[in-house]
Amino acid sequence: QTSLSIWGWGSLGVVLFLVTFGPFAIFYFAFYILCFVGGGFVVTLLFGKSNSEKYLEQCEHSFLPCTSVGIPKCIEEMKREARPIKIDRRLTGANIIDEPLQQVIQFSLRDYVQYWYYTLSDDESFLLEIRQALQYALVQFSARSKETDWQPYFTTRLVDDFGTHLRVFRKAQQRIAEKGDQMKDQAEELVDTFFEVEVEMEKEVCRDLVCTSPKDEEGFLRDLCEVLLYILLPPGDFQNKIMRYFVREILSRGILLPLINQLSDPDYINQYVIWMIRDSNCNYEAFMNIIKLSDNIGELEAVKDKASEELQYLRSLDTAGDDINTIKNQINSLLYVIKVCDSRIQRLQSGKEIDTVKLAANFGKLCTVPLDHILVDNVALQFFMDYMQQTGGQAHLFFWMTVEGYRVTAQQQLEVLQSRQKDGKHQTNQTKGLLRAAAFGVYEQYLSEKASPRVNIDDNLVAKLAETLNHEDPTPEIFDDIQRKVYELMLRDERFYPSFKQNVLYVRMLAELDMLKDPSFRGSDDGEGESFNGSPTGSINLSLDDLSNVPSDETVQLHAYISDTGVCNDHGKTYALYAITVHRRNPNSEETWKTYRRYSDFHDFHMRITEQFENLANILKLPGKKTFNNMDREFLEKRKKDLNAYLQLLLNPEMMKASPALAHYVYDFLENKAYSKGKGDFARKMDTFVNPLRNSMRNVSNAVKSLPDSLAEGMTKMSDNMGKMSERLGQDIKQSFFKVPPLIQKTYSDPDHCRVAAPIDDNVDDNIPLRVMLLLMDEVFDLKERNQWLRRNIKNLLQQLIRATYGDTINRKIVDHVDWMTSPEQVADAVKRFRDAFWPNGILAETVPRRDKAIRMRTRVAGKTKLLEVMPDELKHIIGAETTRKGILRVFEMFQHAQLNKRMVYVFLERFLETLFPQNKFHELFNKLHSRSKQMQRYKQRLHSTQAPSLQK
């Protein structure tokens, strides 16, 4: 009943509501309720907000923290417009250097940073920071450079490091040669052996990892650049790792690594060598010598392929007339080159490499060099010295040389004495006393009973000499009789000169004199051989060996005449050429050949024989020179007639009988080969080896006579001290061959396994050019392996040359040159070359593609040919042709290995930094950076294993 009443009253209320307000009243009612609720919510929100703000204002200074000011400022800075960036462009204080340096910095940032950075951000502040860091480092670097004395680096350390590098390479080659011939062509074995020798020499460091492993090389450069940044940058910038890493990578990967790779590239070095001596023309004879001496099959194949290509081109030409003869000659030349290359390749591939010296020693037909020529040629004399020492006859040779020195000294003393007597000055007793002391010194050293070793000579002659010394004044000719007997003894005794001609030292002497030819190139199976006059024209009918070894009991007739003459043009040089037809007849055969000579060849030949045979100077008259119009046909015919008369007089049988040794020179001149000129004018003036006093004494004497009295008196006092020179010469020679301790005590370390930075001599270190030249000659030509007599004479020659050229100002000139090299102008020029090489026309240079192997091999051949061609003949006369050739080729071969070139570049870089930062202990740093070397670890293990037994004992 209750529920029904509720529903009833509810229904009645709804009906009455709808009747009263209508059907839409329910919607109005809902809307009113919604407005009421919304209004209440809004009133509550506004009231709460106002109350909350009042409350926060009251509590602001009580316990809540302050709002950060960095964010608003950061937002404010971001809203501002970008300001122009100002860069201080001063770096070194020299505008000519700063300008190209700024361009290098700009190009580096553009090509290594900006190209990717702008894809991330447009803000240039980061780039500015990097640029300022680089500039700051350059400023510090420039300041250090200005405070550094570069003269020791360029004149001492650089040369010592190059000499050490060359010594290590030479020892590595010798060690490989000792292992066996099969190792010669293995470049990897050479590199390993090189670094093995390096660690034995350096003892503290080995650079094998840096030079052979690209990964270790990059790590080394990164570490090095980071150390440099630590030194050059302010601490704040260095602590910024991001910027430091960017700068480090730019320096190491972008600049240093490409530069070192380029400087170490053998092909780049070969091209640079050719460019350096581009003014010299390649000589056919030098080119063929390189082909015959080459032990690289790649070089021979490259030359052969190029010759074949040229041969095909010439055969394809359609020519007629005079050109056909020229083309035929070119084709014959190319065919000969191809044949020599094939022969050399076959020999290398078969492993039957021929030692020319050993082969010639067994061949039996060698040039005969007279003893009197050996005694006046410094190259030949050193080999004869070595042989006489082996046989125990060195005392005879030393006595002969000492007497020669005494004679010149005595003649000079007497000439000075006579000139002073003419001027009214008397020093007779003093001069004679000096001469007597010198003569007694020679007697006591070689002829007395106490002499050791003693010259074994007729006792009657010795007694006669002793009596003369005791009762008469000494003269320059006092030892002539005994000297003549000693000469005959050396000439006739089977122990000396006759046996020397059968010894291997004699063959090596011929090789050094360039009188030994490779018998393997005399001919081939098909009868063709080498033509030494520049064109292959068939077989060689004659060689120097055959001509110079004709038995004396045979009747040999030699006739020669100039059959034709012509004008040649070689690389812009015009000269006359004379064709000489030579007939040689003996009881068993008759031969004919042609050879070609210039007038300069005749002139050099005439100078050579008149120097050796003074009596010929009054008999033989060479046609004179003509400066202008010397290519006229009439003049050439007249000269041809005069030269023919000269030849006929020279070949007169009576002339040859009067001078038997003349035949050797005549045969050499008429041989079918390119004439090897003798000593030039410079060499003749400077040739003071065998008799180092004769020319200088005569010159001093003439100079003293022409000087004023005051200067002449000073010169005479200086010459008075020469009285004891013969004794000094004898002691000097004995010291070289009897192992007398030197004046400077060297360290006890093996000189072959140590650096070359030790002082060379007591009076050499102060003379910069002499020290440099002597050190380089020691290492390039291996002079220390030969007797010290030659080395000492070379030092004397260099001293005379330097003093004659520059006097006492040479060191000052070198210091001035170093200052010029480090001047702002030269530094700016180097920076510009660096900029233009890396960024030609302002654009980053692309990586140069590696040239074809054949081109690189031909470049090697061209480089070696030019190096041999540019070597002066005077050098060959000083140290020998074979030694010169081997030394030059050894230096060239050293530069053909990229790993070894890198080692030299890194050594120069290390010495540069040690010089620039002497207070930063870079030496110890480099030792630590190279401490992971495998060769160094093996060396320490071997050293420990060898020391362990002794420590246990």
Side-chain angles (χ1 to χ4, degrees):
Q1 290 178 355
T2 303
S3 60
L4 288 174
S5 62
I6 292 173
W7 280 103
W9 285 108
S11 299
L12 180 62
V14 170
V15 172
L16 292 175
F17 179 81
L18 291 174
V19 173
T20 305
F21 298 102
F24 296 98
I26 189 171
F27 295 102
Y28 293 124
F29 182 73
F31 175 73
Y32 295 152
I33 293 175
L34 182 61
C35 290
F36 174 80
V37 173
F41 178 76
V42 170
V43 171
T44 304
L45 180 62
L46 293 175
F47 178 77
K49 179 177 179 299
S50 60
N51 290 338
S52 298
E53 290 177 352
K54 293 178 180 180
Y55 183 75
L56 289 175
E57 289 179 0
Q58 296 175 358
C59 301
E60 183 177 4
H61 303 287
S62 58
F63 57 88
L64 290 180
C66 299
T67 305
S68 174
V69 297
I71 297 177
K73 286 188 177 182
C74 181
I75 296 174
E76 183 180 358
E77 290 289 337
M78 294 175 64
K79 291 180 180 180
R80 291 182 181 180
E81 296 182 358
R83 293 174 299 178
I85 301 175
K86 295 182 180 180
I87 301 175
D88 188 357
R89 306 184 66 87
R90 294 173 300 178
L91 296 174
T92 64
N95 186 51
I96 57 175
I97 302 177
D98 294 347
E99 183 177 354
L101 267 181
Q102 288 289 350
Q103 292 179 347
V104 170
I105 295 174
Q106 179 63 35
F107 293 156
S108 300
L109 293 177
R110 181 195 65 190
D111 295 326
Y112 295 113
V113 179
Q114 290 180 2
Y115 81 96
W116 59 263
Y117 176 76
Y118 282 139
T119 61
L120 303 178
S121 174
D122 295 333
D123 184 21
E124 297 187 356
S125 59
F126 176 73
L127 299 177
L128 176 62
E129 293 293 335
I130 293 182
R131 187 183 190 108
Q132 289 178 342
L134 288 174
Q135 292 188 169
Y136 186 87
L138 288 174
V139 169
Q140 297 299 317
F141 185 86
S142 173
R144 292 289 186 99
S145 300
K146 294 176 181 178
E147 298 173 357
T148 303
D149 181 12
W150 292 108
Q151 183 264 331
Y153 173 77
F154 285 106
T155 61
T156 303
R157 297 176 185 174
L158 208 63
V159 181
D160 289 341
D161 290 332
F162 178 79
T164 302
H165 187 84
L166 184 57
R167 175 178 292 185
V168 175
F169 181 78
R170 176 165 51 84
K171 293 301 176 183
Q173 280 188 324
Q174 294 176 358
R175 189 168 298 183
I176 288 180
E178 294 173 357
K179 293 180 181 179
D181 294 340
Q182 67 274 11
M183 293 293 188
K184 280 187 177 180
D185 297 330
Q186 295 186 5
E188 294 182 1
E189 181 69 18
L190 176 62
V191 172
D192 292 340
T193 307
F194 178 90
F195 288 110
E196 181 181 336
V197 177
E198 181 197 18
V199 72
E200 295 176 0
M201 184 175 294
E202 298 280 358
K203 301 186 185 310
E204 295 180 352
V205 64
C206 184
R207 303 168 182 85
D208 55 338
L209 281 182
V210 175
C211 299
T212 58
S213 173
K215 182 178 179 181
D216 290 298
E217 182 182 11
E218 292 179 4
F220 172 81
L221 289 176
R222 287 194 185 99
D223 294 339
L224 181 60
C225 291
E226 194 149 354
V227 172
L228 291 176
L229 293 177
Y230 173 79
I231 296 174
L232 299 175
L233 291 181
D237 291 341
F238 181 79
Q239 296 299 328
N240 189 337
K241 292 185 178 181
I242 297 177
M243 186 182 66
R244 185 175 81 228
Y245 291 161
F246 273 120
V247 176
R248 183 191 69 181
E249 292 300 315
I250 292 174
L251 292 177
S252 61
R253 297 287 301 276
I255 296 178
L256 288 180
L257 188 60
L259 180 62
I260 292 173
N261 288 336
Q262 183 178 15
L263 295 177
S264 305
D265 184 15
D267 189 49
Y268 172 80
I269 296 176
N270 295 339
Q271 294 180 64
Y272 188 76
V273 169
I274 295 175
W275 178 82
M276 287 286 292
I277 51 181
R278 60 191 179 278
D279 294 334
S280 65
N281 297 320
C282 286
N283 180 275
Y284 175 81
E285 185 179 5
F287 171 72
M288 294 308 303
N289 285 335
I290 291 298
I291 297 299
K292 296 172 189 177
L293 294 173
S294 176
D295 57 356
N296 189 305
I297 296 179
E299 293 179 359
L300 298 171
E301 290 179 344
V303 173
K304 175 187 171 183
D305 294 342
K306 188 63 177 179
S308 301
E309 180 183 338
E310 293 292 330
L311 185 62
Q312 292 178 0
Y313 171 75
L314 290 176
R315 285 175 171 172
S316 66
L317 295 178
D318 185 12
T319 57
D322 296 336
D323 293 339
I324 190 66
N325 295 326
T326 302
I327 292 178
K328 284 183 178 179
N329 290 334
Q330 293 177 355
I331 290 176
N332 290 334
S333 298
L334 292 174
L335 287 174
Y336 177 70
V337 170
I338 294 174
K339 182 177 180 180
V340 173
C341 291
D342 285 333
S343 175
R344 186 68 180 165
I345 290 172
Q346 292 176 4
R347 186 178 303 164
L348 291 174
Q349 289 178 341
S350 63
K352 298 179 181 179
E353 180 62 19
I354 297 176
D355 188 334
T356 305
V357 174
K358 294 180 181 178
L359 185 62
N362 299 325
F363 195 74
K365 300 185 70 176
L366 300 172
C367 298
T368 300
V369 182
L371 179 60
D372 55 342
H373 291 184
I374 293 176
L375 294 176
V376 297
D377 187 282
N378 63 291
V379 176
L381 182 59
Q382 61 171 315
F383 289 96
F384 191 55
M385 278 185 178
D386 293 338
Y387 176 78
M388 294 294 283
Q389 183 184 8
Q390 293 177 5
T391 58
Q394 64 270 26
H396 300 79
L397 179 59
F398 296 162
F399 171 76
W400 187 92
M401 295 174 61
T402 305
V403 170
E404 285 291 302
Y406 166 80
R407 182 186 297 110
V408 176
T409 304
Q411 291 174 353
Q412 171 63 21
Q413 291 288 332
L414 293 178
E415 289 177 3
V416 173
L417 179 62
Q418 292 175 1
S419 64
R420 292 176 64 86
Q421 286 177 346
K422 292 180 180 179
D423 297 335
K425 301 175 182 179
H426 301 280
Q427 274 188 335
T428 305
N429 295 332
Q430 181 181 359
T431 302
K432 291 183 178 180
L434 291 174
L435 291 179
R436 185 181 300 278
F440 268 106
V442 176
Y443 175 82
E444 292 292 335
Q445 190 171 353
Y446 294 104
L447 301 174
S448 66
E449 296 294 337
K450 300 178 181 180
S452 178
R454 185 174 184 270
V455 176
N456 296 322
I457 204 68
D458 189 359
D459 292 338
N460 294 329
L461 289 177
V462 176
K464 182 179 178 181
L465 173 64
E467 184 178 356
T468 303
L469 288 174
N470 290 326
H471 299 90
E472 299 180 10
D473 291 335
T475 63
E477 299 80 16
I478 192 171
F479 293 101
D480 282 3
D481 293 338
I482 297 181
Q483 186 188 30
R484 191 177 301 110
K485 289 291 182 181
V486 170
Y487 176 83
E488 293 178 358
L489 179 64
M490 292 189 295
L491 180 65
R492 310 290 181 189
D493 197 319
E494 290 295 331
R495 297 174 299 167
F496 303 140
Y497 176 68
S499 298
F500 173 64
K501 292 192 295 183
Q502 307 299 324
N503 193 276
V504 68
L505 288 174
Y506 184 78
V507 183
R508 292 179 180 172
M509 180 194 74
L510 294 179
E512 294 292 352
L513 297 175
D514 213 9
M515 301 172 66
L516 181 66
K517 294 185 176 63
D518 188 348
S520 62
F521 281 97
R522 296 184 178 204
S524 56
D525 297 338
D526 56 1
E528 295 183 357
E530 178 182 357
S531 175
F532 292 91
N533 63 351
S535 62
T537 57
S539 63
I540 292 182
N541 299 314
L542 189 65
S543 70
L544 181 60
D545 296 343
D546 299 330
L547 289 172
S548 59
N549 287 277
V550 177
S552 59
D553 57 346
E554 291 188 11
T555 303
V556 179
Q557 297 180 2
L558 191 67
H559 303 281
Y561 65 93
I562 300 177
S563 57
D564 196 8
T565 183
V567 178
C568 296
N569 191 307
D570 184 14
H571 297 282
K573 297 180 180 179
T574 304
Y575 55 87
L577 199 63
Y578 301 92
I580 306 175
T581 302
V582 186
H583 299 279
R584 177 186 181 226
R585 181 184 301 170
N586 56 41
N588 299 325
S589 63
E590 182 176 351
E591 297 171 319
T592 302
W593 68 92
K594 277 190 177 183
T595 188
Y596 299 88
R597 295 290 179 260
R598 299 173 57 177
Y599 175 79
S600 60
D601 299 332
F602 277 96
H603 184 269
D604 185 88
F605 169 71
H606 180 76
M607 294 292 294
R608 184 185 298 188
I609 62 175
T610 52
E611 284 181 358
Q612 298 296 332
F613 310 96
E614 296 181 358
N615 59 321
L616 296 181
N618 299 324
I619 302 175
L620 293 174
K621 299 298 182 183
L622 186 71
K625 294 182 178 181
K626 184 178 180 182
T627 306
F628 302 102
N629 298 325
N630 55 7
M631 295 298 161
D632 292 344
R633 191 65 192 175
E634 295 180 0
F635 173 77
L636 293 180
E637 288 298 329
K638 181 179 182 301
R639 176 173 281 181
K640 170 185 172 182
K641 180 180 178 181
D642 295 339
L643 291 176
N644 260 325
Y646 177 85
L647 280 177
Q648 302 314 313
L649 181 60
L650 180 67
L651 296 174
N652 189 302
E654 298 299 328
M655 179 83 71
M656 304 294 284
K657 290 181 181 178
S659 303
L662 178 63
H664 162 70
Y665 294 92
V666 176
Y667 293 153
D668 182 39
F669 180 72
L670 296 178
E671 188 185 0
N672 186 16
K673 68 179 184 64
Y675 179 62
S676 176
K677 292 187 178 181
K679 304 172 185 178
D681 295 335
F682 175 79
R684 292 189 181 97
K685 294 177 183 178
M686 300 301 294
D687 188 13
T688 57
F689 284 98
V690 176
N691 200 344
L693 302 175
R694 179 177 290 130
N695 294 333
S696 60
M697 292 301 178
R698 290 175 181 172
N699 294 335
V700 170
S701 176
N702 296 332
V704 168
K705 294 176 183 178
S706 60
L707 287 175
D709 293 340
S710 59
L711 294 179
E713 183 178 357
M715 294 293 291
T716 304
K717 289 181 180 179
M718 183 178 65
S719 64
D720 288 342
N721 296 325
M722 303 294 289
K724 299 181 180 180
M725 188 167 292
S726 60
E727 181 180 357
R728 296 176 186 173
L729 180 62
Q731 295 175 355
D732 191 39
I733 295 174
K734 290 182 70 175
Q735 178 180 347
S736 300
F737 289 91
F738 297 122
K739 308 302 181 183
V740 178
L743 296 177
I744 297 180
Q745 297 296 329
K746 305 292 184 181
T747 58
Y748 292 101
S749 60
D750 186 359
D752 291 336
H753 293 85
C754 64
R755 295 179 58 84
V756 299
I760 297 177
D761 205 343
D762 56 346
N763 59 347
V764 170
D765 277 348
D766 293 337
N767 193 325
I768 297 174
L770 178 61
R771 181 186 184 280
V772 172
M773 295 171 69
L774 188 58
L775 186 147
L776 292 180
M777 292 189 71
D778 276 344
E779 298 306 325
V780 173
F781 303 110
D782 201 10
L783 295 183
K784 288 187 177 180
E785 297 294 331
R786 307 167 73 172
N787 59 57
Q788 293 300 307
W789 175 85
L790 173 65
R791 185 176 181 273
R792 191 160 23 254
N793 283 326
I794 290 177
K795 188 188 75 172
N796 294 335
L797 173 66
L798 294 177
Q799 284 178 327
Q800 294 178 19
L801 175 62
I802 292 170
R803 289 171 182 171
T805 307
Y806 295 103
D808 297 331
T809 64
I810 181 64
N811 282 357
R812 180 67 258 173
K813 290 181 179 294
I814 291 180
V815 173
D816 293 341
H817 185 72
V818 172
D819 293 338
W820 173 80
M821 290 173 57
T822 56
S823 63
E825 292 78 9
Q826 294 302 309
V827 175
D829 186 61
V831 175
K832 290 177 181 178
R833 289 199 300 267
F834 175 81
R835 177 200 61 193
D836 296 338
F838 275 77
W839 292 277
N841 299 322
I843 300 174
L844 182 64
E846 297 181 358
T847 303
V848 180
R850 188 173 178 82
R851 300 201 305 169
D852 183 69
K853 181 181 179 181
I855 298 178
R856 288 185 279 116
M857 291 295 105
R858 289 196 293 270
T859 304
R860 287 182 57 170
V861 174
K864 286 193 285 187
T865 303
K866 279 188 168 289
L867 277 179
L868 283 186
E869 179 66 20
V870 79
M871 285 298 105
D873 291 336
E874 286 79 8
L875 186 61
K876 298 178 183 179
H877 292 296
I878 293 173
I879 61 178
E882 187 69 13
T883 299
T884 302
R885 186 161 46 244
K886 286 183 177 180
I888 297 302
L889 294 181
R890 179 188 298 120
V891 174
F892 186 86
E893 180 63 25
M894 181 183 69
F895 287 111
Q896 304 312 306
H897 304 274
Q899 298 94 330
L900 307 189
N901 295 337
K902 281 190 176 182
R903 187 262 177 193
M904 186 166 57
V905 173
Y906 280 118
V907 169
F908 290 163
L909 177 61
E910 291 173 10
R911 297 296 175 268
F912 175 82
L913 294 177
E914 290 175 8
T915 305
L916 187 63
F917 304 102
Q919 306 298 329
N920 295 101
K921 300 181 180 180
F922 264 96
H923 181 72
E924 299 178 4
L925 173 65
F926 288 128
N927 289 346
K928 293 180 180 179
L929 293 178
H930 296 301
S931 61
R932 295 187 298 108
S933 167
K934 297 180 181 179
Q935 290 285 357
M936 193 69 194
Q937 295 174 2
R938 286 196 290 265
Y939 173 75
K940 291 181 178 179
Q941 292 175 359
R942 291 195 303 268
L943 190 63
H944 179 72
S945 61
T946 55
Q947 292 178 350
S950 60
L951 292 175
Q952 291 177 359
K953 291 181 181 180

